[in-house]
Amino acid sequence: MHIDATERKWMYVSLVMTAVMVFVLAFYAVASNIRPPSNVETIDSDRLHLTKEFAEDNLGVKPNPDGKGLVVTMVAARYGFYPQHIKVPADTPIRFRIASFDVLHGLDVPFTNLSTMVVPGYVSEVDTEFPKPGEYPMFCNEYCGLGHDHMWSRLTVVSKGSAEAHQK
Amino acid sequence: MNDSHVNRLSLANYWVGFLALVAAVILGVFQVAERADLLPDGLESPVLYFASMSTHGVLMAYVLTTFVVVGFGYHTAATSLKQPLWNRPLAWAGFWVTLLGVLLAASVLLAGRASVLYTFYPPLRANPLLYIGAALLVVGSWVWCLQMIMMTLTWKRAHPGEPVPLVQFGNTTNATLWLWTSLGVAAEVIFQLIPWSLGLKDTVDVGLARTLFSWTLHAIVYFWLFPAYIAMYTLVPRAAGGRLFSDEMGRVAFILLLVFSVPIGFHHLYMDPFQAAGWKFLHMLGTFMVMLPTLLTGFTIIASLEIAGRLRGGRGLLGWIAALPWKDPLVLAAIQALLVLIGGGFGGAINASYAMNTMVHNTQWVTGHFHMIWGGTAVLMYFGIAYHCWPKLTGRRLASAGMARAQLWLWFIGINVLTIPWHVLGLLGQPRRISSTPYDNPLVAQWYPYELAMVAGGLILLVSALLLIVNLARSHGSDAEADREMLYAEPVHPVLSLPKPLNSFALWNWIILIYMVASYGYPIAQFFVLKTYGTTPWGI
């Protein structure tokens, strides 16, 4: 078998390039605790309204019972994320917990790290913080039926020290 | 050797594929126009849009690809091995079964009864004929896999110890790859979706369905890409007037694609909640390994082109590029395909990144990416291959090489005008799979110019697709006879003997089996261990 010397060099260059990329990704995944939403938690989507956590009265923003920060509990259902307007302070650890009432959905807030699929039968959990106050759309980014275009809700991030942030 | 049965079978497959392409491009133009809000009120409807989008996806991803892979495979297998098809009636049966599957699926797709997109998306339920049609299409393609493998084995028995010609080694790799790849979607369709859509099962586990689909979803793009890579190694160097830089590295690249493309599907599931982070990380490592065969291919093909350019009198560091035969449609297509691959590969590395994926997941960036890398690199090569093989298949010269080049340039420009703004839309936060932008948000105004650019790109592609059909159809009736002999590129260093693993697949199949059990074993088994809840079907 014949391998040209130049090609052999290129093989080493390719291997080193790939190794560097993987190392950088692995390093930041560990060092900054970056992980995609992966909590592997099941739920009966047909009986969502009967569960304690996802019953209509319990949705919305609450203090996190496990420690500092807030928990936002939401239900995705055709065609909206409920509650339809969420207001949270900036620079605060926030845990989103979302379940689907019907079909596949995807929650995405552009220009932030909040993105997850919402899969019937499973609970999605994302930990994030919002550094920049402002008004953000929460888009459904997974085809969920003919009304998919119309599925969106609002997220308001207020600065941490503001009066609004203390009202809660 | 020139087998008229093979030529007819091959042409039939190419024609089904390219007619599907034209139909799908027309639908695509409708979709970009609808999203940019340019259509009259009567046509603006999500019902039409999602029926169109589902049909567009099925035609492009399953029909064009499968038929071109099959047509290319039969023709190159018969001409490189110089032997007939393994089983001619079975080959034709495979063609008709595949076509029947397409027609069944099309009947419900066009009627708007299967608007669940080509990725199926349970628990949305389509008419069962969509799933049955898809299953027939896959089963029909397995016939081709069997033919490729049996033809290679027959040849090896007659030529003990000799290297299988590189082109057929590539076809056999792709056949093996597709058998492994299609098992995931076949299991989803046969065991989950068909019984559930017929009402024989009440619920479907969406987590399991998505996990099985991810098994197929990445490697399927390599099934589509394989003819492009095979042609770059075995046809382009000769068409350019040179030699293949390394035959062995072609085999190494094919094997790397085979081993690393199936067990890595979880980069499509990074944002899904039902698989644990460790599995996603494992699959990411494999995903980056798939960069290697593409980097090796880029090197070998560019080196082969440089040899050709210098043999043609090109001088200096870059002078060989100008000396290449840009007028040859296959060489032109290969150069364009490699250029598009740079952008497409860059985008792919971002999608595959464990952390960066969050920013682009399910935005228009992703659709822009796969239209660039597949609609650009792979499809441009499909065109180049067709222009190269048509005279061999029909015995007639191309009606006009100039029109062929014009068609290729239009496609190259159109794909860039379409997909570069598409990537930008994704970075500006536009979600994918929407028919309109009814959001009360300032972002909508920022998106609009890019949506208009996409309409322009779509129109250029439509002109190009129509020109393709005209070019190929006219060439059937061309007056000038052509030499039918298929000649494959000679390597710089003739391959006299090879280590066994570069001439056969047994070892690699065992390695894939172990790798698949390691990367998909528990992630699939967990659905039978955990207390999971199925989901009832929903209409669209």
Side-chain angles (χ1 to χ4, degrees):
Chain A
M1 180 163 166
H2 172 91
I3 300 178
D4 190 88
T6 331
E7 182 128 43
R8 196 180 295 274
K9 279 182 207 151
W10 175 249
M11 280 169 68
Y12 293 135
V13 170
S14 304
L15 276 170
V16 169
M17 250 163 54
T18 310
V20 167
M21 284 191 213
V22 169
F23 174 79
V24 169
L25 287 163
F27 178 80
Y28 279 101
V30 174
S32 317
N33 193 22
I34 292 172
R35 57 181 180 84
S38 310
N39 51 319
V40 196
E41 182 181 338
T42 64
I43 193 165
D44 187 350
S45 280
D46 286 346
R47 300 170 64 81
L48 213 53
H49 55 296
L50 302 177
T51 61
K52 188 160 176 276
E53 184 177 11
F54 292 97
E56 198 171 349
D57 294 345
N58 293 329
L59 301 179
V61 186
K62 288 193 289 289
N64 189 340
D66 296 345
K68 56 183 181 176
L70 301 168
V71 178
V72 178
T73 313
M74 299 182 84
V75 165
R78 298 201 291 190
Y79 290 104
F81 296 101
Y82 303 96
Q84 286 199 291
H85 187 187
I86 296 287
K87 192 186 283 183
V88 291
D91 299 317
T92 306
I94 301 173
R95 166 165 295 181
F96 282 84
R97 286 181 55 82
I98 311 157
S100 168
F101 174 71
D102 41 40
V103 298
L104 270 179
H105 299 284
L107 174 69
D108 182 39
V109 178
F111 318 117
T112 74
N113 285 333
L114 178 52
S115 174
T116 182
M117 297 294 295
V118 188
V119 182
Y122 301 86
V123 178
S124 304
E125 187 176 286
V126 191
D127 290 308
T128 192
E129 282 185 34
F130 300 104
K132 286 188 195 150
E135 294 287 333
Y136 297 88
M138 296 176 122
F139 292 129
C140 178
N141 68 2
E142 185 55 277
Y143 177 62
C144 53
L146 297 180
H148 169 52
D149 307 357
H150 297 273
M151 180 157 170
W152 69 294
S153 301
R154 294 167 198 270
L155 172 74
T156 305
V157 179
V158 295
S159 57
K160 202 175 183 182
S162 76
E164 278 183 293
H166 288 290
Q167 280 171 10
K168 274 186 274 294
Chain B
M1 170 168 165
N2 177 41
D3 184 331
S4 63
H5 283 282
V6 174
N7 293 346
R8 272 206 296 279
L9 179 61
S10 181
L11 277 171
N13 276 287
Y14 277 120
W15 267 118
V16 173
F18 289 131
L19 289 173
L21 169 91
V22 177
V25 172
I26 294 170
L27 295 172
V29 172
F30 163 73
Q31 288 156 223
V32 282
E34 160 111 34
R35 195 144 44 80
D37 208 11
L38 295 178
L39 295 177
D41 280 350
L43 281 173
E44 295 253 328
S45 109
V47 178
L48 277 180
Y49 182 88
F50 289 112
S52 169
M53 189 163 148
S54 302
T55 314
H56 172 90
V58 167
L59 288 177
M60 288 293 202
Y62 298 144
V63 183
L64 165 64
T65 50
T66 305
F67 281 89
V68 168
V69 169
V70 168
F72 176 82
Y74 283 139
H75 182 217
T76 52
T79 50
S80 65
L81 302 180
K82 300 186 174 27
Q83 69 184 36
L85 297 176
W86 172 65
N87 184 328
R88 202 164 72 201
L90 185 65
W92 275 105
F95 171 78
W96 289 112
V97 168
T98 316
L99 191 60
L100 174 67
V102 172
L103 295 175
L104 287 181
S107 69
V108 288
L109 281 163
L110 292 171
R113 294 177 180 279
S115 299
V116 297
L117 312 193
Y118 78 100
T119 34
F120 301 142
Y121 287 138
L124 294 178
R125 180 170 65 177
N127 186 296
L129 284 180
L130 174 73
Y131 310 121
I132 294 168
L136 287 177
L137 189 146
V138 171
V139 170
S141 69
W142 287 344
V143 169
W144 173 81
C145 297
L146 183 66
Q147 300 268 354
M148 288 298 111
I149 292 168
M150 294 312 291
M151 283 176 81
T152 300
L153 290 177
T154 310
W155 187 90
K156 282 174 86 171
R157 267 196 295 276
H159 303 79
E162 289 180 40
V164 176
L166 181 60
V167 64
Q168 183 58 11
F169 187 77
N171 281 328
T172 317
T173 314
N174 199 19
T176 312
L177 169 75
W178 180 235
L179 287 173
W180 280 106
T181 302
S182 52
L183 286 180
V185 70
E188 182 197 0
V189 168
I190 294 168
F191 296 117
Q192 290 192 286
L193 300 185
I194 291 179
W196 170 76
S197 68
L198 289 170
L200 303 174
K201 272 172 65 180
D202 294 332
T203 62
V204 68
D205 186 333
V206 180
L208 176 60
R210 288 177 65 75
T211 302
L212 288 173
F213 200 82
S214 83
W215 169 320
T216 299
L217 193 53
H218 193 66
I220 195 173
V221 303
Y222 290 102
F223 171 63
W224 306 338
L225 198 58
F226 243 98
Y229 275 21
I230 295 173
M232 284 188 183
Y233 281 100
T234 64
L235 298 175
V236 171
R238 188 173 197 116
R243 283 173 174 248
L244 173 60
F245 186 72
S246 167
D247 178 289
E248 288 95 333
M249 290 315 288
R251 290 168 203 262
V252 170
F254 294 163
I255 290 293
L256 285 172
L257 284 173
L258 171 65
V259 172
F260 282 107
S261 62
V262 196
I264 59 165
F266 279 15
H267 62 252
H268 291 268
L269 298 183
Y270 282 155
M271 294 296 129
D272 279 59
F274 50 78
Q275 294 293 353
W279 295 109
K280 295 175 181 174
F281 193 82
L282 179 74
H283 282 233
M284 180 193 75
L285 299 180
T287 307
F288 277 87
M289 292 303 288
V290 176
M291 285 181 21
L292 289 175
T294 293
L295 289 168
L296 292 179
T297 300
F299 181 89
T300 307
I301 303 311
I302 293 169
S304 307
L305 288 174
E306 181 177 348
I307 292 171
R310 295 201 185 282
L311 284 173
R312 298 170 65 90
R315 294 280 171 270
L317 188 61
L318 298 172
W320 58 271
I321 298 177
L324 288 171
W326 288 74
K327 292 197 159 186
D328 181 279
L330 179 61
V331 175
L332 176 62
I335 295 168
Q336 292 169 336
L338 286 171
L339 286 173
V340 179
L341 186 61
I342 297 170
F346 171 76
I350 292 188
N351 299 341
S353 301
Y354 196 62
M356 275 189 285
N357 180 269
T358 307
M359 307 301 292
V360 295
H361 174 77
N362 268 356
T363 65
Q364 299 285 10
W365 166 282
V366 176
T367 18
H369 163 72
F370 69 70
H371 278 80
M372 177 179 261
I373 199 158
W374 178 73
T377 302
V379 172
L380 276 166
M381 284 303 291
Y382 288 4
F383 297 157
I385 289 167
Y387 290 132
H388 185 80
C389 293
W390 230 247
K392 329 281 184 193
L393 289 165
T394 63
R396 305 272 148 198
R397 289 174 61 180
L398 282 186
S400 165
M403 294 295 269
R405 289 194 297 274
Q407 189 264 323
L408 289 168
W409 278 115
L410 281 171
W411 194 271
F412 175 73
I413 293 165
I415 213 78
N416 281 299
V417 174
L418 179 82
T419 59
I420 293 171
W422 209 337
H423 281 81
V424 178
L425 276 172
L427 295 179
L428 290 174
Q430 187 177 99
R432 69 191 282 196
R433 305 184 180 112
I434 49 170
S435 70
S436 60
T437 50
Y439 312 113
D440 172 22
N441 191 285
L443 275 175
V444 174
Q446 285 186 49
W447 293 339
Y448 196 62
Y450 299 98
E451 289 173 7
L452 288 183
M454 287 182 63
V455 177
L459 288 170
I460 299 171
L461 291 169
L462 177 60
V463 174
S464 176
L466 293 171
L467 193 53
L468 170 80
I469 298 302
V470 171
N471 286 344
L472 294 181
R474 276 180 68 207
S475 301
H476 279 272
S478 160
D479 291 335
E481 291 213 7
D483 186 358
R484 286 175 176 268
E485 194 181 358
M486 277 289 276
L487 295 171
Y488 295 94
E490 298 286 343
V492 174
H493 298 275
V495 185
L496 303 173
S497 69
L498 280 170
K500 203 164 174 241
L502 289 186
N503 204 34
S504 64
F505 295 92
L507 171 69
W508 305 115
N509 281 322
W510 283 108
I511 289 176
I512 296 171
L513 180 66
I514 294 164
Y515 194 172
M516 284 302 284
V517 170
S519 62
Y520 269 96
Y522 180 77
I524 289 177
Q526 70 164 2
F527 294 104
F528 301 94
V529 178
L530 290 174
K531 169 80 184 130
T532 57
Y533 301 90
T535 307
T536 47
W538 291 78
I540 55 161

